[in-house]
Amino acid sequence: MTDFGIKETLDILGVKDVNDGTSTGQHNFSNGEVIESYSPVDGKLIGKVKTTTKEDYDKVMKTASAAFVSWRSKPAPLRGEIVRQFGEKLREKKEALGKLVSYEMGKSYQEGLGEVQEMIDICDFAVGLSRQLHGLTMHSERPGHRMYEQYHPLGIVGIISAFNFPVAVWAWNTALAWVCGDVCVWKPSEKTPLCGIACQNIAAEVFAKNDLPEGISCLINGNYKVGEFMTKDTQIPLVSATGSTRMGKIVAKEVAGRLGKTLLELGGNNAIIVTPDADIKMTVIGAVFGAVGTAGQRCTSTRRLIIHESVYDKVKEAIVKAYKQLRIGNPLDENNHVGPLIDKDAVNMYVNALERVVEEGGKIVVHGGVLYGDGYESGCYVKPAIAEAKNSFEIVQHETFAPVLYLLKYAGDVNNALKIQNGVAQGLSSAIMTNNLREAEAFLSVAGSDCGIANVNIGTSGAEIGGAFGGEKETGGGRESGSDAWKVYMRRQTNTINYTADLPLAQGIKFDL
Ligand code: UN1
């Protein structure tokens, strides 16, 4: 097979063999060690990125601080116009960026394009928002007084993103932060640094073309130690971090220790409840895409199917049959459904999960395994697997970032299924498949799903950008993307204005001099 046009793709995106991973837009200055990015698709080296030292970071922060002073003073709709242009550039480069996402991260080309589409969508959303960003007005208890609230930008927003959505999660944060008047410093995953370079190149071009100061979009690179520069830095009022619960707990502690804000989007352990009234065909599509899409490496991936005993065998049979049709292979080949895992560590975690579920008493119903040989040379391709299990198993309680689906059985009414669903530490996404109104409403009620996302008759993954995205419990409580998620990127100020010649005090207090 050819190189799938990767060379041309890298050219279009300005990604070189060796890239400077510390950028404020027009200036690059990295003095750290080099990270090599290998594709999980074919195991080949795609490019190298120089990482950020503390001295490099300090330079970035100086430039970002200066940029903030100028950017915050631009009218919000003007900031929106810049984000509109950024969205236009993404439209132009959609195929190239989608391909790089697919090649560097391993998700299917279709999903790579989908990810860039999420970036475009959030830009459109942010453009509209730039003419809103509204606060409330309240009635004052004092005569001749006016009271209202307004939102001002926070400052420098630090973004730490994960490998599985190497470009979209950055855009969810930046598109909103930019219209809010903030500037951003981004540390992409060290597993997908070239996607970061490509995005920064696009942003830098737009800011330069509009004669805006560099530093509105900044890139830093490296491992968790580079992330720590931001979590410890009082110049960063908000750290938005996406990744594992383990990482989130460390970030939360560090940032809370200096009373900074965090927006955390962490692990999920998402379930679909399949009730006796479920449409089986829809259930199969939703569950299979949810479990094997992005090779099970979405935070919204379906990990557990909680099936009513009366339809258990039927659903199991239909899903097992669907798994037999899955084609695993190069994700840039549109005939394949499932690409590789991100790296061999992920493969080991997958293998370990399958061993653990058996040790704990589970039964494998679709055998997994690592694939070798022609087309699988990277060693990162695995077969999606299904195991019958119990919710109490330690491994089921744990988020394994791989295509492993657990089948759990419930009896009685939907409340029993909900107990199982909510009986995990994570609380990101959830779904119910039912044509029964009572079951659907019970699932959505106060005693229903405890997750940030609760869907009826669609799967757990593939959320639209218009809704607030995030979850409860160990998922971290943050909300990104749509609805009023923008508020976290701004500081709220309450203003009371007295337009009389008297100074009455609130609460009726008299203080005459
Ligand atoms: C993630 O996996 O971190 O809902 C984000 C979805 C996508 C976003 C997933 N829109 O599956």
Side-chain angles (χ1 to χ4, degrees), residues 88-256:
E88 282 302 299
K89 271 272 161 286
L90 290 171
R91 282 182 171 88
E92 270 170 40
K93 306 217 165 165
K94 182 174 174 184
E95 283 73 25
L97 191 54
K99 195 174 270 187
L100 177 61
V101 167
S102 173
Y103 190 55
E104 192 178 33
M105 183 274 159
K107 65 175 67 175
S108 75
Y109 179 50
Q110 275 309 310
E111 290 183 71
L113 292 175
E115 188 173 341
V116 183
Q117 188 58 47
E118 285 200 39
M119 303 173 84
I120 295 167
D121 293 342
I122 195 73
C123 286
D124 287 353
F125 180 86
V127 175
L129 205 55
S130 72
R131 291 183 183 268
Q132 301 275 308
L133 305 176
H134 40 55
L136 301 171
T137 60
M138 301 88 177
H139 287 268
S140 170
E141 67 188 49
R142 287 168 280 186
H145 282 58
R146 188 165 72 80
M147 195 155 66
Y148 80 114
E149 64 183 11
Q150 59 174 341
Y151 287 86
H152 288 309
L154 273 181
I156 305 174
V157 173
I159 302 164
I160 298 172
S161 64
F163 76 85
N164 65 333
F165 272 77
V167 295
V169 170
W170 169 70
W172 295 350
N173 283 280
T174 47
L176 297 192
W178 285 336
V179 296
C180 290
D182 299 316
V183 301
C184 299
V185 179
W186 178 29
K187 189 193 92 61
S189 165
E190 61 269 40
K191 295 179 183 181
T192 50
L194 299 174
C195 284
I197 301 284
C199 289
Q200 172 71 355
N201 288 346
I202 297 171
E205 192 185 327
V206 173
F207 288 116
K209 198 176 143 218
N210 287 279
D211 273 332
L212 286 161
E214 63 168 328
I216 297 172
S217 179
C218 301
L219 182 72
I220 57 176
N221 263 288
N223 61 15
Y224 71 95
K225 289 190 187 135
V226 175
E228 261 175 26
F229 298 156
M230 294 201 285
T231 55
K232 289 181 191 301
D233 190 347
T234 50
Q235 296 173 93
I236 296 198
L238 170 68
V239 176
S240 171
T242 304
S244 67
T245 295
R246 207 189 124 265
M247 176 279 295
K249 284 182 178 169
I250 297 168
V251 168
K253 206 167 155 190
E254 196 66 61
V255 179

Side-chain angles (χ1 to χ4, degrees), residues 118 164-165 169 172 242 265 297-300 461-463 469:
E118 285 200 39
N164 65 333
F165 272 77
V169 170
W172 295 350
T242 304
E265 208 265 276
Q297 297 171 106
R298 291 193 189 208
C299 53
T300 51
S461 68
F469 182 86

Side-chain angles (χ1 to χ4, degrees), residues 268-269 295-298 301 303 346 348-354 395-404 406 426:
N269 193 345
Q297 297 171 106
R298 291 193 189 208
S301 291
R303 314 245 170 249
N348 291 339
M349 283 192 279
Y350 156 89
V351 170
N352 177 58
L354 290 177
I395 193 67
V396 175
Q397 290 285 318
H398 179 85
E399 178 190 44
T400 302
F401 234 47
V404 178
Y406 301 114
Q426 309 83 348

